[in-house]
Amino acid sequence: MAVEAGDGRKEESAETQLLEFTDSSAERVLKLIKEEFPKKVIEMNKFLNSDFFKAKWLDEVKAESNVLNSKQASQTNEQPATNHETRGKRKRLTSDQDTSMNMNHSQPTEMSSNKSLKELIAAMKPRITKLVEETNLIKIWILLMIPKIEDGNNFGVSVQEEILEEVRAVEQEGAVYFDEISKYHSTRAKIVSKIFKYPFIEDYRDTLTEIDEKEWLHLQLVCKEVRNHYNVLFDLITKNWEKLICPRSSNADTMF
C-alpha cells in the first residue's frame, strides 16, 4: 500500500518495504546456498594452500619473535649469580634499570607486533566476517519460514529448528574467532612487557616465540573450520531442502 507524502509523491508503507526486504533477503539466501557456498569451500582450500600456511611463513613468524628476543637478551651481559653478593648486586642493578626506564622518556617505548602474523590475521578477518554475516542472514530467513504453532504435522518444523541451531552455532563460533584474536594480542603484550622488564629471564623470550607459533597454528585451524562450516551448511540445507522451505506440505518443489 502506498502512502502519499507531503509533496504529493507516493511512498511505500513500512509493511510493503518490510515485505520487499524479506523477499530480497530470501533471494540472497538462495544464491548463497546454491552458488556461493560451494565456491567458498574451494576458495578456503586455495587459501589453506597459500604461502600463509607453508613452513616458510612459520619460519618468518619465528624469526620476528627471535628478533625481539635477541635484542632484549643483548641488553644484559650479566653472568649467573654465584653467591648472595652477586645476586644482591643484580637485584639492585635491575631495580636501577627499571627506575631509569620509567624516568628516561628518550628510551624506546613502542614494540611492533609480529608483522607476519598481523598480515595473516588481516587476511583472515574478512573471511570470518563474511561467515558471520551470511549465517546471520540465513538464520533470519529460516526463522521467517517457520509456520505458526499448530498441533500435529510438526516434523518439518523440527527439521527447520535443527538446521537453525546449526546455523546459530556457526554464527557464534565466528564471533568467538574474533575474540580469540584479541586475546592473542593481549597475552602477547603481557609477555613483551615482561621481556622488557626482565630481559635476563630466558623463559619469557621462549614464551613469546611459542605464543606466536601457537597463533599461526590456531589461525590455520580457524581457516579449516570456516571451510568446514560452509561445507556442512551447504550439505545440511540442500539435503533437507523440501522440509526446510515447506515443513507442512509434501508438494514442495526442490531448488535443484
Side-chain angles (χ1 to χ4, degrees), residues 3 10 21 140 161 173 183 189:
V3 179
K10 290 186 177 181
F21 168 74
I140 188 64
E161 291 173 346
E173 280 194 40
K183 284 181 180 179

Side-chain angles (χ1 to χ4, degrees), residues 76-95 200:
T76 176
N77 296 317
E78 296 177 321
Q79 297 296 325
T82 56
N83 52 54
H84 293 292
E85 181 181 359
T86 305
R87 286 196 293 272
K89 289 180 179 178
R90 173 183 289 180
K91 185 175 181 180
R92 289 194 299 274
L93 177 60
T94 303
S95 177
F200 47 83

Side-chain angles (χ1 to χ4, degrees), residues 68 71-73 75-76 92-111 191-200:
L68 173 61
K71 283 182 179 179
Q72 291 306 106
Q75 290 183 6
T76 176
R92 289 194 299 274
L93 177 60
T94 303
S95 177
D96 292 342
Q97 287 175 340
D98 290 344
T99 303
S100 176
M101 287 186 69
N102 290 331
M103 297 179 61
N104 186 3
H105 299 288
S106 64
Q107 291 195 11
T109 58
E110 182 178 345
M111 181 62 212
I191 295 300
V192 169
S193 67
K194 292 289 186 180
I195 292 173
F196 271 98
K197 189 172 183 180
Y198 306 108
F200 47 83

Side-chain angles (χ1 to χ4, degrees), residues 32 62 76 88 105 112 128 137 160 215 240:
L32 274 175
K62 291 181 179 179
T76 176
H105 299 288
S112 299
I128 299 173
L137 184 62
Q160 288 179 322
E215 182 64 11
N240 298 281

Side-chain angles (χ1 to χ4, degrees), residues 15-56:
E15 183 179 356
T16 301
Q17 293 180 48
L18 178 60
L19 289 173
E20 289 177 353
F21 168 74
T22 303
D23 290 341
S24 64
S25 297
E27 290 175 5
R28 173 63 178 149
V29 169
L30 293 179
K31 185 177 179 182
L32 274 175
I33 297 167
K34 183 179 178 181
E35 300 177 15
E36 296 186 23
F37 275 19
K39 292 179 181 178
K40 294 281 187 182
V41 175
I42 303 234
E43 177 195 337
M44 295 307 295
N45 272 331
K46 289 180 179 178
F47 186 59
L48 279 164
N49 291 323
S50 67
D51 289 341
F52 282 121
F53 298 108
K54 291 182 180 177
K56 65 178 182 179

